[in-house]
Amino acid sequence: HNMAWGSESHWLGKYLSGELRIPFCGRFRWSHLPGSDTSTKQPAIVEHSVCSLSPVSIGEPCSVGAALIVSTVSFQHSPGGSARPLESFVRYHLRKGFARILLVIDDASDSAALGAARMFPSSRVIVKLRSDALYEEQRVLCASFAKLEPLTKVDVSARQMLDAELAMSLAPDLGCSWVVCLDSDELFFTRQDNVSSHFEELSRNGIDQMTYLNHEGAPEAEETEDYFASITLFKRHHFVVPLTPAARQGLRFWMNRSHRDQFMLFYDNGKSACRVGLSAKPRSQHLWELPLGCRSCTALADPRRLDLEGYRECHDPCILHFPVCGLSWF
C-alpha cells in the first residue's frame, strides 16, 4: 500500500518494532516539505511502498511444500568486482517463498559474493565456503564423495553435484522437503506468488522428481551490471515452439548465429527439483538418480529419450537461464 506522510518515522518504527521483517524491498519518493529550507534540511519520504522479502510462508518444519535452493557461486572475477546478480538471485527466490537458500562460495576470498550473501538473514541464506572443512563434511555426508572429489579441482560440475548432495543431506534439518540445484545465473521462474503450492501439488500426485523446461536469455545490451534486471528476451525451449513456418524461420535465425548450428547455446535438458529423503544421488547438476519405485516426471517432450509415462505438461514453473548476458561477463 502507498502512504503519504512527512517523515520516515512510520516505516522506521515498523522496522524497529519487528513488524517489517528484513530483508525488505521498497520504493520511496523523497521531497522537501512545503516551506522548508532546502539548503539546510534533509528531504523527507512523502510516499513509499515496502514489503518483506522473507518467504511468504515457509510452513512447519519439513512441510511438504518447503523447498531449498542450492547454488555453487563465484563472483571473484565479475565485472567491477560486483555481485549484484547474486543479490537479485537471492532476493527473487526468497520473495517467491523458497524456505532456504544454500550458497556454496567457491573461493573464501570472494568478498563480492560474501558481501551479497550477508545482506540476508542467516536463518534463510546459509553460506558455506569451499575449504577443507567443507570437503570433510561432504566426505561424511555424501555417498558420491569418493567418486566426485578427485574431479572437484578442475570440474565445476563435480563441485555442483557434491554441493547438491550435501544440500539433500542437510535439507531435513532445515525444514525442507524439496531441493532445487540452480546456477547463480538462473531463476526458478513462476507467476505464482509462492512456490510452496507447486511443491505441495507434486507431493499430492506422488511425484518425487520434476524436471522443468529451460529458456535461454539473449543479451540486449553490450554491458549490464545485473543481467536479472536488464534481460527480457528469451529463446523459448525448442520443444515448446510451435512448428509453424514463422517459428522455423525464427529457429533458423538463431541457429545461423552459432558456429555449431545450435539454437540453445548452453544446455537444453532442463533443471530438476527432487524430493528429500529418497537416498537420491545426483546424476548431474540437472537430474537426480532415484531408487527403484520412485516417480520422476519431466516437462521436456524429448524425442531423443521419449518417456510418455513420465511426461507432465508444465510451462510454469520453468527455468530462466541468463548465460553471459553482457560482454564483461564473458
Side-chain angles (χ1 to χ4, degrees):
H1 300 287
N2 289 333
M3 300 183 64
W5 62 89
S7 76
E8 54 274 278
S9 61
H10 178 84
W11 67 270
L12 184 57
K14 284 183 172 292
Y15 165 66
L16 294 174
S17 68
E19 293 179 65
L20 181 60
R21 294 176 295 171
I22 56 172
F24 61 87
C25 68
R27 293 180 181 273
F28 302 92
R29 184 164 63 86
W30 303 79
S31 177
H32 292 280
L33 297 177
S36 64
D37 184 351
T38 59
S39 65
T40 60
K41 292 189 176 182
Q42 295 293 322
I45 300 171
V46 296
E47 187 177 11
H48 95 302
S49 175
V50 296
C51 67
S52 171
L53 285 176
S54 296
V56 177
S57 173
I58 64 168
E60 297 300 320
C62 289
S63 163
V64 294
L68 177 152
I69 284 176
V70 56
S71 185
T72 305
V73 304
S74 175
F75 285 83
Q76 184 77 348
H77 303 292
S78 61
S82 170
R84 181 68 63 83
L86 184 58
E87 296 176 32
S88 296
F89 175 89
V90 174
R91 185 176 295 114
Y92 172 84
H93 290 111
L94 288 181
R95 187 69 185 89
K96 284 298 182 179
F98 277 91
R100 303 287 192 273
I101 298 175
L102 173 60
L103 299 177
V104 183
I105 298 177
D106 252 345
D107 191 324
S109 65
D110 191 341
S111 58
L114 283 167
R118 287 169 179 164
M119 296 176 62
F120 301 91
S122 58
S123 59
R124 296 291 178 264
V125 180
I126 300 97
V127 176
K128 291 186 177 291
L129 301 178
R130 190 76 58 199
S131 62
D132 291 342
L134 175 63
Y135 282 126
E136 177 59 21
E137 185 177 19
Q138 291 174 327
R139 185 190 67 80
V140 173
L141 296 177
C142 301
S144 304
F145 182 80
K147 173 184 175 182
L148 294 174
E149 190 275 336
L151 305 174
T152 56
K153 301 299 183 184
V154 295
D155 187 353
V156 65
S157 294
R159 299 197 297 274
Q160 288 176 311
M161 291 166 67
L162 267 183
D163 295 344
E165 192 169 12
L166 177 64
M168 186 66 76
S169 179
L170 298 176
D173 289 338
L174 295 172
C176 295
S177 297
W178 292 86
V179 169
V180 181
C181 180
L182 293 180
D183 295 346
S184 58
D185 62 356
E186 295 172 332
L187 295 181
F188 188 90
F189 177 79
T190 178
R191 292 180 174 84
Q192 300 300 313
D193 292 333
N194 195 317
V195 297
S196 297
S197 58
H198 169 70
F199 292 114
E200 290 168 357
E201 180 185 3
L202 293 182
S203 297
R204 284 194 302 271
N205 286 279
I207 297 172
D208 299 306
Q209 176 171 227
M210 182 68 206
T211 302
Y212 304 93
L213 289 161
N214 62 284
H215 308 292
E216 191 174 275
E220 299 174 78
E222 185 173 306
E223 297 293 352
T224 180
E225 183 180 15
D226 184 357
Y227 36 79
F228 290 128
S230 59
I231 302 304
T232 61
L233 177 65
F234 288 86
K235 292 182 283 186
R236 294 177 62 197
H237 199 291
H238 44 282
F239 290 167
V240 293
V241 173
L243 296 180
T244 63
R248 290 179 183 273
Q249 183 178 4
L251 287 168
R252 177 48 58 186
F253 168 81
W254 289 105
M255 292 170 69
N256 287 342
R257 291 164 59 96
S258 165
H259 292 302
R260 298 183 179 180
D261 210 30
Q262 294 171 280
F263 175 62
M264 304 286 272
L265 299 181
F266 290 82
Y267 70 89
D268 62 4
N269 53 339
K271 285 290 182 78
S272 304
C274 185
R275 196 202 295 259
V276 171
L278 304 176
S279 299
K281 298 178 182 179
R283 183 179 297 175
S284 69
Q285 62 268 54
H286 300 267
L287 194 66
W288 294 82
E289 183 177 342
L290 304 184
L292 291 175
C294 294
R295 185 183 179 195
S296 184
C297 291
T298 179
L300 283 71
D302 190 344
R304 296 168 297 188
R305 51 183 83 83
L306 193 58
D307 180 8
L308 295 178
E309 291 187 1
Y311 176 72
R312 178 183 176 89
E313 185 175 0
C314 179
H315 298 282
D316 184 340
C318 63
I319 305 299
L320 296 185
H321 187 201
F322 298 73
V324 197
C325 287
L327 188 59
S328 297
W329 293 95
F330 188 70

